[in-house]
Amino acid sequence: KAGVTQTPRYLIKTRGQQVTLSCSPISGHRSVSWYQQTPGQGLQFLFEYFSETQRNKGNFPGRFSGRQFSNSRSEMNVSTLELGDSALYLCASGRESSYEQYFGPGTRLTVT
Amino acid sequence: AQTVTQSQPEMSVQEAETVTLSCTYDTSESDYYLFWYKQPPSRQMILVIRQEAYKQQNATENRFSVNFQKAAKSFSLKISDSQLGDAAMYFCAYRSRSGGSRLTFGEGTQLTVNP
């Protein structure tokens, strides 16, 4: 069974631009969560989607948004990029019937 | 709000020896899950072991075992017969039983395995 996939793996953007990251969960998983990992703040929860609905949201500004499609694939969007948005963005998926989550390889975003 | 604390930023162990990584957490909930994740240099987060709070028996997965002390809110990871491939950043994580799949992570412990 294929694992969680994230595209692109690496991205370089300029301050002020916007970016869209994609996450495809493991087949059969309907929950998708997003995390931001930085050296200074560690791993922080962004939001969670389940059956196309946002179920949880972390403490991030409105520039960070996401959505989930009917096939459970999820995208997150960051508008008006700031230098501080440079981070590894991780996506995790899980089944509703299980408390385990499995992570993708991440997207490394660099904002210059 | 729940918090997770890993007080050891770095640990080292000799190959084939045993090492214990510490984790404490704070919560007012009685039902939750705890996890240890491993993040090697590839940055891929790998689930190492999980514990359900209502289970008193400590979880074990091959060379990895936990010491779960619910009253003390402590959840340590023991790695036996350490191997070079165990070198990684280890994160302790908390998940409430209610309220979705949100994980709260500790700061991480960087484990070095010396040959």
Side-chain angles (χ1 to χ4, degrees):
Chain A
K1 182 183 277 191
V4 179
T5 58
Q6 291 186 245
T7 56
R9 293 293 311 280
Y10 302 92
L11 207 48
I12 300 175
K13 289 288 189 178
T14 303
R15 192 169 47 184
Q17 290 185 315
Q18 76 166 22
V19 67
T20 299
L21 312 182
S22 180
C23 171
S24 293
I26 293 171
S27 177
H29 289 193
R30 294 163 63 193
S31 167
V32 174
S33 299
W34 289 89
Y35 295 84
Q36 181 195 65
Q37 185 176 23
T38 60
Q41 299 298 316
L43 280 151
Q44 296 188 87
F45 172 79
L46 280 155
F47 28 65
E48 179 201 358
Y49 286 87
F50 179 79
S51 292
E52 302 179 66
T53 301
Q54 188 179 86
R55 186 157 71 171
N56 261 313
K57 188 178 190 308
N59 188 26
F60 277 81
R63 300 186 296 107
F64 291 81
S65 62
R67 60 177 176 169
Q68 186 179 34
F69 301 94
S70 58
N71 62 356
S72 294
R73 188 178 71 84
S74 177
E75 289 181 346
M76 68 162 280
N77 184 276
V78 188
S79 62
T80 319
L81 284 165
E82 300 177 359
L83 295 178
D85 297 333
S86 294
L88 180 69
Y89 290 87
L90 294 165
C91 161
S93 76
R95 291 182 187 276
E96 184 65 1
S97 58
S98 170
Y99 56 88
E100 298 176 359
Q101 290 185 76
Y102 298 90
F103 282 81
T107 293
R108 168 73 65 185
L109 171 65
T110 301
V111 182
T112 62
Chain B
Q2 295 84 18
T3 59
V4 178
T5 302
Q6 294 177 248
S7 58
Q8 307 154 313
E10 298 177 348
M11 291 282 285
S12 64
V13 63
Q14 292 295 126
E15 198 175 2
E17 297 291 303
T18 296
V19 65
T20 299
L21 308 184
S22 302
C23 172
T24 59
Y25 58 95
D26 188 28
T27 183
S28 58
E29 300 177 324
S30 59
D31 203 3
Y32 47 86
Y33 308 106
L34 296 165
F35 306 87
W36 279 98
Y37 280 90
K38 166 185 175 182
Q39 188 178 44
S42 68
R43 295 301 201 178
Q44 174 82 51
M45 292 282 278
I46 302 166
L47 178 60
V48 175
I49 198 165
R50 80 286 282 164
Q51 175 80 42
E52 295 159 89
Y54 65 86
K55 290 186 176 179
Q56 293 186 343
Q57 185 173 5
N58 290 322
T60 299
E61 290 283 347
N62 301 313
R63 298 182 295 106
F64 298 87
S65 61
V66 298
N67 183 3
F68 174 48
Q69 301 290 328
K70 191 172 184 179
K73 297 179 181 175
S74 170
F75 183 61
S76 60
L77 173 70
K78 185 171 83 170
I79 306 174
S80 303
D81 186 25
S82 297
Q83 301 176 0
L84 295 177
D86 295 333
M89 181 73 88
Y90 286 81
F91 292 96
C92 177
Y94 171 102
R95 174 185 170 177
S96 172
R97 190 176 176 88
S98 61
S101 304
R102 177 177 187 156
L103 292 170
T104 301
F105 286 91
E107 305 91 337
T109 296
Q110 181 68 51
L111 178 66
T112 301
V113 180
N114 300 308

PDB file of all heavy atoms in Angstrom, chain A residues 33-45:
ATOM      1  N   SER A  33      -4.068  15.798   8.313  1.00  0.00           N
ATOM      2  CA  SER A  33      -3.620  16.902   9.175  1.00  0.00           C
ATOM      3  C   SER A  33      -2.354  17.506   8.613  1.00  0.00           C
ATOM      4  O   SER A  33      -1.552  16.812   7.985  1.00  0.00           O
ATOM      5  CB  SER A  33      -3.349  16.393  10.592  1.00  0.00           C
ATOM      6  OG  SER A  33      -4.512  15.849  11.177  1.00  0.00           O
ATOM      7  N   TRP A  34      -2.162  18.774   8.872  1.00  0.00           N
ATOM      8  CA  TRP A  34      -0.976  19.499   8.412  1.00  0.00           C
ATOM      9  C   TRP A  34      -0.221  20.064   9.604  1.00  0.00           C
ATOM     10  O   TRP A  34      -0.836  20.564  10.567  1.00  0.00           O
ATOM     11  CB  TRP A  34      -1.381  20.653   7.490  1.00  0.00           C
ATOM     12  CG  TRP A  34      -1.889  20.237   6.148  1.00  0.00           C
ATOM     13  CD1 TRP A  34      -3.180  19.943   5.819  1.00  0.00           C
ATOM     14  CD2 TRP A  34      -1.121  20.080   4.954  1.00  0.00           C
ATOM     15  NE1 TRP A  34      -3.263  19.615   4.483  1.00  0.00           N
ATOM     16  CE2 TRP A  34      -2.021  19.703   3.919  1.00  0.00           C
ATOM     17  CE3 TRP A  34       0.228  20.245   4.631  1.00  0.00           C
ATOM     18  CZ2 TRP A  34      -1.609  19.466   2.608  1.00  0.00           C
ATOM     19  CZ3 TRP A  34       0.633  20.013   3.323  1.00  0.00           C
ATOM     20  CH2 TRP A  34      -0.276  19.633   2.332  1.00  0.00           C
ATOM     21  N   TYR A  35       1.118  20.008   9.508  1.00  0.00           N
ATOM     22  CA  TYR A  35       1.985  20.520  10.564  1.00  0.00           C
ATOM     23  C   TYR A  35       3.094  21.348   9.914  1.00  0.00           C
ATOM     24  O   TYR A  35       3.561  21.049   8.817  1.00  0.00           O
ATOM     25  CB  TYR A  35       2.617  19.377  11.363  1.00  0.00           C
ATOM     26  CG  TYR A  35       1.614  18.564  12.139  1.00  0.00           C
ATOM     27  CD1 TYR A  35       0.910  17.525  11.541  1.00  0.00           C
ATOM     28  CD2 TYR A  35       1.356  18.844  13.479  1.00  0.00           C
ATOM     29  CE1 TYR A  35      -0.032  16.787  12.241  1.00  0.00           C
ATOM     30  CE2 TYR A  35       0.421  18.105  14.193  1.00  0.00           C
ATOM     31  CZ  TYR A  35      -0.272  17.086  13.566  1.00  0.00           C
ATOM     32  OH  TYR A  35      -1.192  16.365  14.259  1.00  0.00           O
ATOM     33  N   GLN A  36       3.531  22.344  10.671  1.00  0.00           N
ATOM     34  CA  GLN A  36       4.681  23.144  10.273  1.00  0.00           C
ATOM     35  C   GLN A  36       5.822  22.820  11.227  1.00  0.00           C
ATOM     36  O   GLN A  36       5.639  22.802  12.437  1.00  0.00           O
ATOM     37  CB  GLN A  36       4.352  24.637  10.366  1.00  0.00           C
ATOM     38  CG  GLN A  36       5.498  25.545   9.934  1.00  0.00           C
ATOM     39  CD  GLN A  36       5.300  26.982  10.378  1.00  0.00           C
ATOM     40  OE1 GLN A  36       5.281  27.273  11.573  1.00  0.00           O
ATOM     41  NE2 GLN A  36       5.165  27.895   9.417  1.00  0.00           N
ATOM     42  N   GLN A  37       6.995  22.556  10.653  1.00  0.00           N
ATOM     43  CA  GLN A  37       8.157  22.266  11.487  1.00  0.00           C
ATOM     44  C   GLN A  37       9.259  23.276  11.197  1.00  0.00           C
ATOM     45  O   GLN A  37       9.724  23.405  10.065  1.00  0.00           O
ATOM     46  CB  GLN A  37       8.681  20.840  11.235  1.00  0.00           C
ATOM     47  CG  GLN A  37       9.817  20.461  12.174  1.00  0.00           C
ATOM     48  CD  GLN A  37      10.271  19.023  12.004  1.00  0.00           C
ATOM     49  OE1 GLN A  37      10.069  18.412  10.961  1.00  0.00           O
ATOM     50  NE2 GLN A  37      10.874  18.462  13.036  1.00  0.00           N
ATOM     51  N   THR A  38       9.671  23.992  12.235  1.00  0.00           N
ATOM     52  CA  THR A  38      10.774  24.945  12.140  1.00  0.00           C
ATOM     53  C   THR A  38      11.732  24.705  13.290  1.00  0.00           C
ATOM     54  O   THR A  38      11.337  24.186  14.340  1.00  0.00           O
ATOM     55  CB  THR A  38      10.279  26.405  12.209  1.00  0.00           C
ATOM     56  OG1 THR A  38       9.608  26.592  13.476  1.00  0.00           O
ATOM     57  CG2 THR A  38       9.325  26.737  11.080  1.00  0.00           C
ATOM     58  N   PRO A  39      13.001  25.088  13.119  1.00  0.00           N
ATOM     59  CA  PRO A  39      13.967  24.901  14.216  1.00  0.00           C
ATOM     60  C   PRO A  39      13.571  25.661  15.478  1.00  0.00           C
ATOM     61  O   PRO A  39      13.788  25.185  16.578  1.00  0.00           O
ATOM     62  CB  PRO A  39      15.273  25.439  13.620  1.00  0.00           C
ATOM     63  CG  PRO A  39      15.098  25.323  12.147  1.00  0.00           C
ATOM     64  CD  PRO A  39      13.647  25.582  11.895  1.00  0.00           C
ATOM     65  N   GLY A  40      12.974  26.810  15.322  1.00  0.00           N
ATOM     66  CA  GLY A  40      12.650  27.636  16.483  1.00  0.00           C
ATOM     67  C   GLY A  40      11.363  27.247  17.195  1.00  0.00           C
ATOM     68  O   GLY A  40      11.301  27.261  18.418  1.00  0.00           O
ATOM     69  N   GLN A  41      10.349  26.885  16.451  1.00  0.00           N
ATOM     70  CA  GLN A  41       9.030  26.594  17.023  1.00  0.00           C
ATOM     71  C   GLN A  41       8.706  25.106  17.088  1.00  0.00           C
ATOM     72  O   GLN A  41       7.690  24.725  17.671  1.00  0.00           O
ATOM     73  CB  GLN A  41       7.934  27.308  16.210  1.00  0.00           C
ATOM     74  CG  GLN A  41       8.068  28.825  16.194  1.00  0.00           C
ATOM     75  CD  GLN A  41       7.963  29.417  17.576  1.00  0.00           C
ATOM     76  OE1 GLN A  41       7.093  29.023  18.354  1.00  0.00           O
ATOM     77  NE2 GLN A  41       8.838  30.337  17.899  1.00  0.00           N
ATOM     78  N   GLY A  42       9.528  24.283  16.506  1.00  0.00           N
ATOM     79  CA  GLY A  42       9.273  22.852  16.529  1.00  0.00           C
ATOM     80  C   GLY A  42       8.117  22.478  15.619  1.00  0.00           C
ATOM     81  O   GLY A  42       7.886  23.121  14.595  1.00  0.00           O
ATOM     82  N   LEU A  43       7.384  21.456  16.018  1.00  0.00           N
ATOM     83  CA  LEU A  43       6.264  20.961  15.229  1.00  0.00           C
ATOM     84  C   LEU A  43       4.980  21.577  15.734  1.00  0.00           C
ATOM     85  O   LEU A  43       4.598  21.396  16.888  1.00  0.00           O
ATOM     86  CB  LEU A  43       6.164  19.433  15.363  1.00  0.00           C
ATOM     87  CG  LEU A  43       7.112  18.621  14.506  1.00  0.00           C
ATOM     88  CD1 LEU A  43       7.436  17.295  15.165  1.00  0.00           C
ATOM     89  CD2 LEU A  43       6.501  18.393  13.134  1.00  0.00           C
ATOM     90  N   GLN A  44       4.322  22.298  14.848  1.00  0.00           N
ATOM     91  CA  GLN A  44       3.076  22.964  15.239  1.00  0.00           C
ATOM     92  C   GLN A  44       1.942  22.541  14.315  1.00  0.00           C
ATOM     93  O   GLN A  44       2.105  22.494  13.106  1.00  0.00           O
ATOM     94  CB  GLN A  44       3.249  24.486  15.192  1.00  0.00           C
ATOM     95  CG  GLN A  44       4.260  25.020  16.184  1.00  0.00           C
ATOM     96  CD  GLN A  44       4.228  26.527  16.213  1.00  0.00           C
ATOM     97  OE1 GLN A  44       3.445  27.137  16.954  1.00  0.00           O
ATOM     98  NE2 GLN A  44       5.047  27.129  15.385  1.00  0.00           N
ATOM     99  N   PHE A  45       0.809  22.287  14.904  1.00  0.00           N
ATOM    100  CA  PHE A  45      -0.387  21.847  14.187  1.00  0.00           C
ATOM    101  C   PHE A  45      -1.012  23.024  13.448  1.00  0.00           C
ATOM    102  O   PHE A  45      -1.218  24.097  14.026  1.00  0.00           O
ATOM    103  CB  PHE A  45      -1.372  21.264  15.198  1.00  0.00           C
ATOM    104  CG  PHE A  45      -2.719  20.937  14.638  1.00  0.00           C
ATOM    105  CD1 PHE A  45      -2.923  19.781  13.900  1.00  0.00           C
ATOM    106  CD2 PHE A  45      -3.799  21.784  14.875  1.00  0.00           C
ATOM    107  CE1 PHE A  45      -4.176  19.472  13.406  1.00  0.00           C
ATOM    108  CE2 PHE A  45      -5.055  21.477  14.388  1.00  0.00           C
ATOM    109  CZ  PHE A  45      -5.242  20.328  13.645  1.00  0.00           C
TER     110      PHE A  45
END
